[in-house]
mmCIF file of all heavy atoms in Angstrom:
data_model
loop_
_atom_site.group_PDB
_atom_site.id
_atom_site.type_symbol
_atom_site.label_atom_id
_atom_site.label_comp_id
_atom_site.label_asym_id
_atom_site.label_seq_id
_atom_site.Cartn_x
_atom_site.Cartn_y
_atom_site.Cartn_z
ATOM 1 N N TRP A 95 22.592 -89.981 104.700
ATOM 2 C CA TRP A 95 23.123 -88.985 105.645
ATOM 3 C C TRP A 95 23.151 -87.605 105.047
ATOM 4 O O TRP A 95 22.989 -86.585 105.735
ATOM 5 C CB TRP A 95 24.523 -89.391 106.079
ATOM 6 C CG TRP A 95 25.572 -89.338 104.967
ATOM 7 C CD1 TRP A 95 25.841 -90.323 104.092
ATOM 8 C CD2 TRP A 95 26.439 -88.273 104.679
ATOM 9 N NE1 TRP A 95 26.833 -89.933 103.222
ATOM 10 C CE2 TRP A 95 27.216 -88.642 103.583
ATOM 11 C CE3 TRP A 95 26.620 -87.005 105.231
ATOM 12 C CZ2 TRP A 95 28.195 -87.841 103.017
ATOM 13 C CZ3 TRP A 95 27.572 -86.190 104.676
ATOM 14 C CH2 TRP A 95 28.356 -86.595 103.566
ATOM 15 N N SER A 96 23.397 -87.476 103.743
ATOM 16 C CA SER A 96 23.558 -86.174 103.110
ATOM 17 C C SER A 96 22.252 -85.678 102.443
ATOM 18 O O SER A 96 22.177 -84.520 102.102
ATOM 19 C CB SER A 96 24.670 -86.188 102.043
ATOM 20 O OG SER A 96 24.279 -87.003 100.967
ATOM 21 N N GLY A 97 21.299 -86.563 102.280
ATOM 22 C CA GLY A 97 20.080 -86.196 101.567
ATOM 23 C C GLY A 97 20.165 -86.428 100.075
ATOM 24 O O GLY A 97 19.186 -86.145 99.387
ATOM 25 N N SER A 98 21.237 -86.983 99.611
ATOM 26 C CA SER A 98 21.399 -87.195 98.159
ATOM 27 C C SER A 98 20.725 -88.419 97.630
ATOM 28 O O SER A 98 20.533 -88.533 96.428
ATOM 29 C CB SER A 98 22.924 -87.258 97.822
ATOM 30 O OG SER A 98 23.516 -88.347 98.414
ATOM 31 N N ILE A 99 20.332 -89.327 98.518
ATOM 32 C CA ILE A 99 19.657 -90.562 98.070
ATOM 33 C C ILE A 99 18.398 -90.752 98.928
ATOM 34 O O ILE A 99 18.424 -90.632 100.195
ATOM 35 C CB ILE A 99 20.584 -91.782 98.282
ATOM 36 C CG1 ILE A 99 21.874 -91.612 97.540
ATOM 37 C CG2 ILE A 99 19.856 -93.064 97.825
ATOM 38 C CD1 ILE A 99 22.903 -92.718 97.810
ATOM 39 N N THR A 100 17.281 -91.018 98.268
ATOM 40 C CA THR A 100 16.054 -91.345 98.938
ATOM 41 C C THR A 100 15.465 -92.649 98.409
ATOM 42 O O THR A 100 15.783 -93.051 97.280
ATOM 43 C CB THR A 100 15.010 -90.207 98.788
ATOM 44 O OG1 THR A 100 14.772 -90.010 97.409
ATOM 45 C CG2 THR A 100 15.529 -88.920 99.434
ATOM 46 N N TYR A 101 14.606 -93.243 99.189
ATOM 47 C CA TYR A 101 13.953 -94.455 98.793
ATOM 48 C C TYR A 101 12.608 -94.535 99.447
ATOM 49 O O TYR A 101 12.407 -94.127 100.583
ATOM 50 C CB TYR A 101 14.785 -95.679 99.225
ATOM 51 C CG TYR A 101 14.284 -96.990 98.647
ATOM 52 C CD1 TYR A 101 14.521 -97.338 97.317
ATOM 53 C CD2 TYR A 101 13.617 -97.874 99.452
ATOM 54 C CE1 TYR A 101 14.058 -98.503 96.780
ATOM 55 C CE2 TYR A 101 13.143 -99.091 98.908
ATOM 56 C CZ TYR A 101 13.376 -99.392 97.607
ATOM 57 O OH TYR A 101 12.891 -100.568 97.078
ATOM 58 N N TYR A 102 11.605 -95.056 98.682
ATOM 59 C CA TYR A 102 10.226 -95.061 99.150
ATOM 60 C C TYR A 102 9.591 -96.462 98.944
ATOM 61 O O TYR A 102 9.901 -97.171 98.015
ATOM 62 C CB TYR A 102 9.365 -94.071 98.356
ATOM 63 C CG TYR A 102 9.862 -92.663 98.479
ATOM 64 C CD1 TYR A 102 10.795 -92.126 97.575
ATOM 65 C CD2 TYR A 102 9.414 -91.851 99.479
ATOM 66 C CE1 TYR A 102 11.225 -90.820 97.684
ATOM 67 C CE2 TYR A 102 9.843 -90.521 99.623
ATOM 68 C CZ TYR A 102 10.762 -90.021 98.706
ATOM 69 O OH TYR A 102 11.201 -88.723 98.839
ATOM 70 N N ALA A 103 8.684 -96.755 99.879
ATOM 71 C CA ALA A 103 7.823 -97.893 99.683
ATOM 72 C C ALA A 103 6.931 -97.677 98.457
ATOM 73 O O ALA A 103 6.551 -96.515 98.169
ATOM 74 C CB ALA A 103 6.979 -98.155 100.904
ATOM 75 N N ASP A 104 6.599 -98.722 97.748
ATOM 76 C CA ASP A 104 5.798 -98.606 96.549
ATOM 77 C C ASP A 104 4.421 -97.948 96.901
ATOM 78 O O ASP A 104 3.854 -97.243 96.038
ATOM 79 C CB ASP A 104 5.553 -99.952 95.903
ATOM 80 C CG ASP A 104 6.791 -100.499 95.207
ATOM 81 O OD1 ASP A 104 7.730 -99.705 94.910
ATOM 82 O OD2 ASP A 104 6.842 -101.706 94.926
ATOM 83 N N SER A 105 3.923 -98.191 98.055
ATOM 84 C CA SER A 105 2.620 -97.719 98.414
ATOM 85 C C SER A 105 2.548 -96.197 98.549
ATOM 86 O O SER A 105 1.453 -95.632 98.512
ATOM 87 C CB SER A 105 2.159 -98.365 99.747
ATOM 88 O OG SER A 105 3.075 -98.062 100.797
ATOM 89 N N VAL A 106 3.688 -95.547 98.749
ATOM 90 C CA VAL A 106 3.677 -94.091 98.910
ATOM 91 C C VAL A 106 4.478 -93.379 97.824
ATOM 92 O O VAL A 106 4.452 -92.130 97.763
ATOM 93 C CB VAL A 106 4.272 -93.673 100.261
ATOM 94 C CG1 VAL A 106 3.514 -94.410 101.404
ATOM 95 C CG2 VAL A 106 5.730 -93.976 100.358
ATOM 96 N N LYS A 107 5.111 -94.103 96.929
ATOM 97 C CA LYS A 107 5.951 -93.492 95.892
ATOM 98 C C LYS A 107 5.105 -92.562 95.034
ATOM 99 O O LYS A 107 4.001 -92.914 94.574
ATOM 100 C CB LYS A 107 6.606 -94.574 95.050
ATOM 101 C CG LYS A 107 7.701 -94.088 94.133
ATOM 102 C CD LYS A 107 8.404 -95.275 93.438
ATOM 103 C CE LYS A 107 9.059 -96.188 94.469
ATOM 104 N NZ LYS A 107 9.814 -97.306 93.787
ATOM 105 N N GLY A 108 5.580 -91.366 94.813
ATOM 106 C CA GLY A 108 4.885 -90.383 94.015
ATOM 107 C C GLY A 108 3.978 -89.510 94.839
ATOM 108 O O GLY A 108 3.481 -88.478 94.319
ATOM 109 N N ARG A 109 3.700 -89.885 96.084
ATOM 110 C CA ARG A 109 2.815 -89.116 96.950
ATOM 111 C C ARG A 109 3.561 -88.502 98.140
ATOM 112 O O ARG A 109 3.228 -87.380 98.582
ATOM 113 C CB ARG A 109 1.684 -89.998 97.482
ATOM 114 C CG ARG A 109 0.807 -90.568 96.379
ATOM 115 C CD ARG A 109 -0.439 -91.248 97.009
ATOM 116 N NE ARG A 109 -0.067 -92.395 97.838
ATOM 117 C CZ ARG A 109 -0.382 -92.532 99.109
ATOM 118 N NH1 ARG A 109 -1.102 -91.560 99.716
ATOM 119 N NH2 ARG A 109 -0.028 -93.581 99.802
ATOM 120 N N PHE A 110 4.551 -89.217 98.642
ATOM 121 C CA PHE A 110 5.278 -88.803 99.810
ATOM 122 C C PHE A 110 6.675 -88.343 99.394
ATOM 123 O O PHE A 110 7.265 -88.901 98.461
ATOM 124 C CB PHE A 110 5.431 -89.891 100.854
ATOM 125 C CG PHE A 110 4.159 -90.273 101.525
ATOM 126 C CD1 PHE A 110 2.931 -89.821 101.159
ATOM 127 C CD2 PHE A 110 4.221 -91.115 102.650
ATOM 128 C CE1 PHE A 110 1.766 -90.174 101.766
ATOM 129 C CE2 PHE A 110 3.070 -91.504 103.307
ATOM 130 C CZ PHE A 110 1.810 -91.045 102.898
ATOM 131 N N THR A 111 7.268 -87.395 100.122
ATOM 132 C CA THR A 111 8.610 -86.947 99.879
ATOM 133 C C THR A 111 9.342 -86.800 101.229
ATOM 134 O O THR A 111 8.846 -86.121 102.153
ATOM 135 C CB THR A 111 8.666 -85.606 99.185
ATOM 136 O OG1 THR A 111 7.954 -85.698 97.931
ATOM 137 C CG2 THR A 111 10.117 -85.185 98.905
ATOM 138 N N ILE A 112 10.474 -87.484 101.335
ATOM 139 C CA ILE A 112 11.290 -87.364 102.518
ATOM 140 C C ILE A 112 12.413 -86.336 102.215
ATOM 141 O O ILE A 112 12.970 -86.343 101.131
ATOM 142 C CB ILE A 112 11.872 -88.720 102.980
ATOM 143 C CG1 ILE A 112 12.589 -88.574 104.347
ATOM 144 C CG2 ILE A 112 12.793 -89.315 101.913
ATOM 145 C CD1 ILE A 112 12.987 -89.949 104.927
ATOM 146 N N SER A 113 12.707 -85.512 103.190
ATOM 147 C CA SER A 113 13.817 -84.556 103.049
ATOM 148 C C SER A 113 14.428 -84.297 104.413
ATOM 149 O O SER A 113 13.910 -84.723 105.450
ATOM 150 C CB SER A 113 13.277 -83.230 102.438
ATOM 151 O OG SER A 113 12.300 -82.648 103.277
ATOM 152 N N ARG A 114 15.555 -83.634 104.405
ATOM 153 C CA ARG A 114 16.212 -83.296 105.663
ATOM 154 C C ARG A 114 16.905 -81.964 105.616
ATOM 155 O O ARG A 114 17.343 -81.527 104.560
ATOM 156 C CB ARG A 114 17.204 -84.419 106.064
ATOM 157 C CG ARG A 114 18.443 -84.509 105.161
ATOM 158 C CD ARG A 114 19.224 -85.798 105.417
ATOM 159 N NE ARG A 114 19.713 -85.869 106.786
ATOM 160 C CZ ARG A 114 20.087 -86.982 107.399
ATOM 161 N NH1 ARG A 114 19.976 -88.142 106.783
ATOM 162 N NH2 ARG A 114 20.540 -86.917 108.646
ATOM 163 N N ASP A 115 17.035 -81.364 106.783
ATOM 164 C CA ASP A 115 17.796 -80.141 106.948
ATOM 165 C C ASP A 115 18.758 -80.394 108.073
ATOM 166 O O ASP A 115 18.426 -80.333 109.219
ATOM 167 C CB ASP A 115 16.852 -78.996 107.260
ATOM 168 C CG ASP A 115 17.558 -77.672 107.318
ATOM 169 O OD1 ASP A 115 18.807 -77.607 107.505
ATOM 170 O OD2 ASP A 115 16.920 -76.611 107.201
ATOM 171 N N ASN A 116 20.000 -80.751 107.724
ATOM 172 C CA ASN A 116 20.973 -81.101 108.721
ATOM 173 C C ASN A 116 21.325 -79.952 109.636
ATOM 174 O O ASN A 116 21.697 -80.155 110.794
ATOM 175 C CB ASN A 116 22.238 -81.644 108.036
ATOM 176 C CG ASN A 116 21.995 -83.082 107.492
ATOM 177 O OD1 ASN A 116 21.031 -83.737 107.809
ATOM 178 N ND2 ASN A 116 22.896 -83.505 106.605
ATOM 179 N N ALA A 117 21.266 -78.750 109.131
ATOM 180 C CA ALA A 117 21.540 -77.605 109.931
ATOM 181 C C ALA A 117 20.549 -77.422 111.093
ATOM 182 O O ALA A 117 20.860 -76.838 112.117
ATOM 183 C CB ALA A 117 21.591 -76.309 109.112
ATOM 184 N N LYS A 118 19.322 -77.926 110.846
ATOM 185 C CA LYS A 118 18.275 -77.866 111.858
ATOM 186 C C LYS A 118 18.035 -79.187 112.593
ATOM 187 O O LYS A 118 17.146 -79.272 113.388
ATOM 188 C CB LYS A 118 16.972 -77.407 111.220
ATOM 189 C CG LYS A 118 16.971 -76.010 110.652
ATOM 190 C CD LYS A 118 15.652 -75.611 110.045
ATOM 191 C CE LYS A 118 15.654 -74.207 109.527
ATOM 192 N NZ LYS A 118 14.342 -73.821 108.932
ATOM 193 N N ASN A 119 18.842 -80.179 112.286
ATOM 194 C CA ASN A 119 18.691 -81.520 112.891
ATOM 195 C C ASN A 119 17.275 -82.041 112.706
ATOM 196 O O ASN A 119 16.681 -82.591 113.658
ATOM 197 C CB ASN A 119 19.085 -81.476 114.377
ATOM 198 C CG ASN A 119 20.559 -81.505 114.577
ATOM 199 O OD1 ASN A 119 21.369 -81.379 113.697
ATOM 200 N ND2 ASN A 119 20.951 -81.635 115.836
ATOM 201 N N THR A 120 16.734 -81.866 111.526
ATOM 202 C CA THR A 120 15.337 -82.215 111.294
ATOM 203 C C THR A 120 15.153 -82.973 109.990
ATOM 204 O O THR A 120 15.798 -82.646 108.972
ATOM 205 C CB THR A 120 14.449 -80.956 111.265
ATOM 206 O OG1 THR A 120 14.605 -80.268 112.535
ATOM 207 C CG2 THR A 120 12.985 -81.311 111.108
ATOM 208 N N VAL A 121 14.308 -83.986 110.026
ATOM 209 C CA VAL A 121 13.894 -84.706 108.828
ATOM 210 C C VAL A 121 12.411 -84.530 108.656
ATOM 211 O O VAL A 121 11.677 -84.439 109.650
ATOM 212 C CB VAL A 121 14.313 -86.197 108.878
ATOM 213 C CG1 VAL A 121 13.579 -86.935 110.000
ATOM 214 C CG2 VAL A 121 14.041 -86.883 107.559
ATOM 215 N N TYR A 122 11.958 -84.480 107.403
ATOM 216 C CA TYR A 122 10.564 -84.213 107.101
ATOM 217 C C TYR A 122 9.958 -85.341 106.261
ATOM 218 O O TYR A 122 10.647 -86.010 105.543
ATOM 219 C CB TYR A 122 10.408 -82.892 106.357
ATOM 220 C CG TYR A 122 11.012 -81.720 107.058
ATOM 221 C CD1 TYR A 122 12.275 -81.290 106.750
ATOM 222 C CD2 TYR A 122 10.285 -81.005 107.984
ATOM 223 C CE1 TYR A 122 12.849 -80.173 107.366
ATOM 224 C CE2 TYR A 122 10.841 -79.912 108.635
ATOM 225 C CZ TYR A 122 12.100 -79.491 108.321
ATOM 226 O OH TYR A 122 12.661 -78.407 108.933
ATOM 227 N N LEU A 123 8.677 -85.463 106.361
ATOM 228 C CA LEU A 123 7.917 -86.319 105.488
ATOM 229 C C LEU A 123 6.701 -85.544 104.965
ATOM 230 O O LEU A 123 5.768 -85.328 105.745
ATOM 231 C CB LEU A 123 7.480 -87.629 106.166
ATOM 232 C CG LEU A 123 6.791 -88.638 105.220
ATOM 233 C CD1 LEU A 123 7.805 -89.184 104.228
ATOM 234 C CD2 LEU A 123 6.148 -89.752 106.034
ATOM 235 N N GLN A 124 6.791 -85.119 103.739
ATOM 236 C CA GLN A 124 5.661 -84.426 103.093
ATOM 237 C C GLN A 124 4.727 -85.492 102.511
ATOM 238 O O GLN A 124 5.153 -86.283 101.664
ATOM 239 C CB GLN A 124 6.165 -83.476 102.008
ATOM 240 C CG GLN A 124 5.033 -82.767 101.255
ATOM 241 C CD GLN A 124 4.274 -81.805 102.127
ATOM 242 O OE1 GLN A 124 4.883 -81.010 102.835
ATOM 243 N NE2 GLN A 124 2.944 -81.828 102.064
ATOM 244 N N MET A 125 3.497 -85.489 102.927
ATOM 245 C CA MET A 125 2.522 -86.495 102.526
ATOM 246 C C MET A 125 1.395 -85.806 101.746
ATOM 247 O O MET A 125 0.681 -85.019 102.296
ATOM 248 C CB MET A 125 1.967 -87.248 103.717
ATOM 249 C CG MET A 125 3.045 -87.881 104.597
ATOM 250 S SD MET A 125 2.367 -88.877 105.944
ATOM 251 C CE MET A 125 1.563 -87.575 106.906
ATOM 252 N N ASN A 126 1.295 -86.133 100.482
ATOM 253 C CA ASN A 126 0.273 -85.605 99.637
ATOM 254 C C ASN A 126 -0.684 -86.713 99.156
ATOM 255 O O ASN A 126 -0.354 -87.864 99.217
ATOM 256 C CB ASN A 126 0.876 -84.904 98.394
ATOM 257 C CG ASN A 126 1.753 -83.708 98.762
ATOM 258 O OD1 ASN A 126 1.471 -83.000 99.747
ATOM 259 N ND2 ASN A 126 2.796 -83.512 97.982
ATOM 260 N N SER A 127 -1.838 -86.294 98.676
ATOM 261 C CA SER A 127 -2.810 -87.235 98.133
ATOM 262 C C SER A 127 -3.086 -88.385 99.134
ATOM 263 O O SER A 127 -3.084 -89.543 98.742
ATOM 264 C CB SER A 127 -2.356 -87.780 96.790
ATOM 265 O OG SER A 127 -2.173 -86.755 95.855
ATOM 266 N N LEU A 128 -3.290 -88.016 100.364
ATOM 267 C CA LEU A 128 -3.455 -89.001 101.430
ATOM 268 C C LEU A 128 -4.679 -89.848 101.196
ATOM 269 O O LEU A 128 -5.722 -89.410 100.744
ATOM 270 C CB LEU A 128 -3.488 -88.329 102.771
ATOM 271 C CG LEU A 128 -2.153 -87.903 103.276
ATOM 272 C CD1 LEU A 128 -2.278 -86.867 104.399
ATOM 273 C CD2 LEU A 128 -1.334 -89.102 103.802
ATOM 274 N N LYS A 129 -4.546 -91.134 101.597
ATOM 275 C CA LYS A 129 -5.611 -92.119 101.492
ATOM 276 C C LYS A 129 -5.919 -92.682 102.865
ATOM 277 O O LYS A 129 -5.079 -92.637 103.763
ATOM 278 C CB LYS A 129 -5.157 -93.272 100.585
ATOM 279 C CG LYS A 129 -4.741 -92.848 99.188
ATOM 280 C CD LYS A 129 -4.155 -94.012 98.403
ATOM 281 C CE LYS A 129 -3.697 -93.641 97.059
ATOM 282 N NZ LYS A 129 -3.119 -94.770 96.277
ATOM 283 N N PRO A 130 -7.128 -93.197 103.054
ATOM 284 C CA PRO A 130 -7.472 -93.789 104.362
ATOM 285 C C PRO A 130 -6.480 -94.845 104.780
ATOM 286 O O PRO A 130 -6.242 -95.000 105.981
ATOM 287 C CB PRO A 130 -8.865 -94.351 104.138
ATOM 288 C CG PRO A 130 -9.464 -93.471 103.102
ATOM 289 C CD PRO A 130 -8.360 -93.136 102.199
ATOM 290 N N GLU A 131 -5.956 -95.608 103.864
ATOM 291 C CA GLU A 131 -4.976 -96.651 104.203
ATOM 292 C C GLU A 131 -3.629 -96.110 104.677
ATOM 293 O O GLU A 131 -2.799 -96.873 105.141
ATOM 294 C CB GLU A 131 -4.787 -97.625 103.014
ATOM 295 C CG GLU A 131 -4.453 -96.921 101.705
ATOM 296 C CD GLU A 131 -5.685 -96.807 100.823
ATOM 297 O OE1 GLU A 131 -6.747 -96.350 101.322
ATOM 298 O OE2 GLU A 131 -5.592 -97.087 99.620
ATOM 299 N N ASP A 132 -3.442 -94.818 104.592
ATOM 300 C CA ASP A 132 -2.266 -94.204 105.171
ATOM 301 C C ASP A 132 -2.407 -93.961 106.666
ATOM 302 O O ASP A 132 -1.425 -93.556 107.316
ATOM 303 C CB ASP A 132 -1.937 -92.846 104.493
ATOM 304 C CG ASP A 132 -1.568 -93.012 103.037
ATOM 305 O OD1 ASP A 132 -0.821 -93.939 102.684
ATOM 306 O OD2 ASP A 132 -2.019 -92.162 102.208
ATOM 307 N N THR A 133 -3.576 -94.188 107.190
ATOM 308 C CA THR A 133 -3.818 -93.980 108.607
ATOM 309 C C THR A 133 -2.922 -94.912 109.448
ATOM 310 O O THR A 133 -2.932 -96.101 109.277
ATOM 311 C CB THR A 133 -5.282 -94.220 108.977
ATOM 312 O OG1 THR A 133 -6.076 -93.258 108.311
ATOM 313 C CG2 THR A 133 -5.528 -94.135 110.476
ATOM 314 N N ALA A 134 -2.160 -94.325 110.375
ATOM 315 C CA ALA A 134 -1.207 -95.071 111.176
ATOM 316 C C ALA A 134 -0.499 -94.114 112.113
ATOM 317 O O ALA A 134 -0.604 -92.904 111.993
ATOM 318 C CB ALA A 134 -0.186 -95.810 110.309
ATOM 319 N N VAL A 135 0.242 -94.711 113.037
ATOM 320 C CA VAL A 135 1.203 -93.931 113.792
ATOM 321 C C VAL A 135 2.505 -93.920 113.009
ATOM 322 O O VAL A 135 2.996 -95.003 112.605
ATOM 323 C CB VAL A 135 1.433 -94.542 115.198
ATOM 324 C CG1 VAL A 135 2.558 -93.748 115.927
ATOM 325 C CG2 VAL A 135 0.167 -94.523 116.039
ATOM 326 N N TYR A 136 3.051 -92.752 112.785
ATOM 327 C CA TYR A 136 4.275 -92.620 111.982
ATOM 328 C C TYR A 136 5.433 -92.382 112.886
ATOM 329 O O TYR A 136 5.411 -91.546 113.790
ATOM 330 C CB TYR A 136 4.111 -91.456 110.989
ATOM 331 C CG TYR A 136 3.281 -91.829 109.799
ATOM 332 C CD1 TYR A 136 1.929 -92.012 109.910
ATOM 333 C CD2 TYR A 136 3.880 -91.994 108.569
ATOM 334 C CE1 TYR A 136 1.147 -92.360 108.814
ATOM 335 C CE2 TYR A 136 3.089 -92.373 107.471
ATOM 336 C CZ TYR A 136 1.748 -92.532 107.583
ATOM 337 O OH TYR A 136 0.983 -92.879 106.522
#
């Protein structure tokens, strides 16, 4: 809820970053080093 704890699937660890801005009611997923196997509906 506060953004102080995050957790990732092993398949994306080190490449993806989840963050949030509670003042904007928004959560983000920064995806770097994308691979074809990342193709999906998110």
